[in-house]
Each structure stands twice: as structure tokens, then as C-alpha cells.
Amino acid sequence: MNAGDQANISAGLVKELREKTGAGVMDCKVALSEAKGNVDEAVKILRKKGLAAAFKKSGRTTSEGIIGSYIHPGGKIGVLLEVSCETDFVARTADFQQLVKDLAMQIAASSPRFVGREQVTEEVLIAEREIYRSQAAASGKPEKVLEKIVDGKMEKFYAEACLLEQPFVKNMDVTVKDHIASLISKIGENIQVKRFVRFALGEGNS
């Protein structure tokens, strides 16, 4: 991609793409050039590059980070979560701390049960699949399509029950996992949501 192509991309398009993805100026210009000025296509290009970069960093050790918290107005819902990164420098950046705040608010609002699908217990998986299979069978669907129906319902279950699979609260067009991947690509460090707990007044009382 030559400099002339990038020069033809307007500052307004670059700004719009940056607001949607958080990517750097040059990355946005390159993506817009590849997409011939189509912002939606440029978003897809950046997501693919971001996910690839994030995957390369996903095995790196994350021993720094912060524990974030959020108390919903009224004091009836509270969240604590641990988000880790590779260095204390990144943990103190505005981008990282904003991510932790956003995730805490997301957990308060969306009430996920797990961080990611890998944390869903075998017991829960078996129970959910049995429920969905019974529902599909009761609807009279033929046996050969039952498992496909169950698989589809399990994907919806993951999207509701797992934080990383949920639509990101500030941009419902991307998942939390994809949003984190874009930030990993931007800052150049691995980021992991380690654990969280959500408290709701009265829950758990006998």
C-alpha cells in the first residue's frame, strides 16, 4: 500500500475508524486504504489483524494488573474483578484502567456467570445440553437435526453466560473478547480477565 493511497483517506474517516476500534492512526489509514474507504470493511480488517496479534501474545505471562471495583448507584449491586497484564507500566495506563472500569460495569449490568467458555463446568454443560435437547425433541424436530439445534442454543448460552462472549457494553457490534484483543494489539501486551465476583443485595441469603 503506497503513501499516495493513504493520503487520499480523509481525516474524518480515520477519526471515525479510531473511535470504533481504538487502533492507531497509521493502522487505520492502512486499513481504510485496503478497504477503499469503506469504514465497515476497515473495521473487519483491523479486527482480523488485532485478533492475530492478540493470539500471538496470548501465551505470555501476565503477572501485573489491577483489581477493579464497581458499585451501582443505590448500593445494591457490586463487582470486584481481577484483570492482568504483563507490566506495571501498562496497568497504570488510562486505556487499561478504562478497560477494567468498563468490564466491571458490564458485569454489573449483564450478570455473566463465567469469564469464558473454558470456565464453564462439565456439570453445567451437561445440564444445559439436556435441557435444550429435551426442548428440541418436544418440538417435534427430526432426530438428525436435534444436535445442530442444541449446538446453536449452546452458542447463545455462551453469549449470555460468559463475559468474554457477551457483546461489549460500549460497542454492541463486538464481543468483549474482540474488544480486549484490539486493546492487546494497540498496547502490545497480553491482557487477561482472571476472575470476578458479582454481589447483588439479598442474593445468597437463606
Side-chain angles (χ1 to χ4, degrees), residues 200-206:
L201 190 66
E203 285 187 0
N205 292 343
S206 57

Coordinates of all heavy atoms in Angstrom, one line a residue, residues 200-206:
A200 N -25.2 -9.1 44.6 CA -26.5 -8.4 44.5 C -27.2 -8.5 45.8 O -27.2 -9.6 46.4 CB -27.3 -9.0 43.4
L201 N -27.6 -7.4 46.3 CA -28.2 -7.4 47.7 C -29.3 -8.4 47.8 O -30.2 -8.5 47.0 CB -28.8 -6.0 48.0 CG -29.2 -5.8 49.4 CD1 -28.0 -5.8 50.4 CD2 -29.9 -4.4 49.5
G202 N -29.2 -9.3 48.8 CA -30.3 -10.3 49.1 C -30.0 -11.6 48.4 O -30.6 -12.6 48.8
E203 N -29.1 -11.7 47.4 CA -28.8 -13.0 46.8 C -27.9 -13.8 47.7 O -27.0 -13.3 48.4 CB -28.1 -12.8 45.5 CG -28.9 -12.3 44.3 CD -28.2 -12.2 43.0 OE1 -27.0 -12.6 43.0 OE2 -28.8 -11.9 42.0
G204 N -28.3 -15.1 47.8 CA -27.5 -16.0 48.6 C -28.0 -16.1 50.0 O -27.5 -16.9 50.8
N205 N -28.9 -15.2 50.4 CA -29.5 -15.3 51.7 C -30.4 -16.5 51.9 O -31.2 -16.8 51.0 CB -30.2 -14.0 52.1 CG -29.3 -12.8 52.2 OD1 -28.1 -13.0 52.3 ND2 -29.8 -11.6 52.2
S206 N -30.4 -17.1 53.0 CA -31.3 -18.3 53.2 C -32.7 -17.8 53.7 O -32.8 -16.7 54.1 CB -30.7 -19.2 54.2 OG -30.4 -18.6 55.4

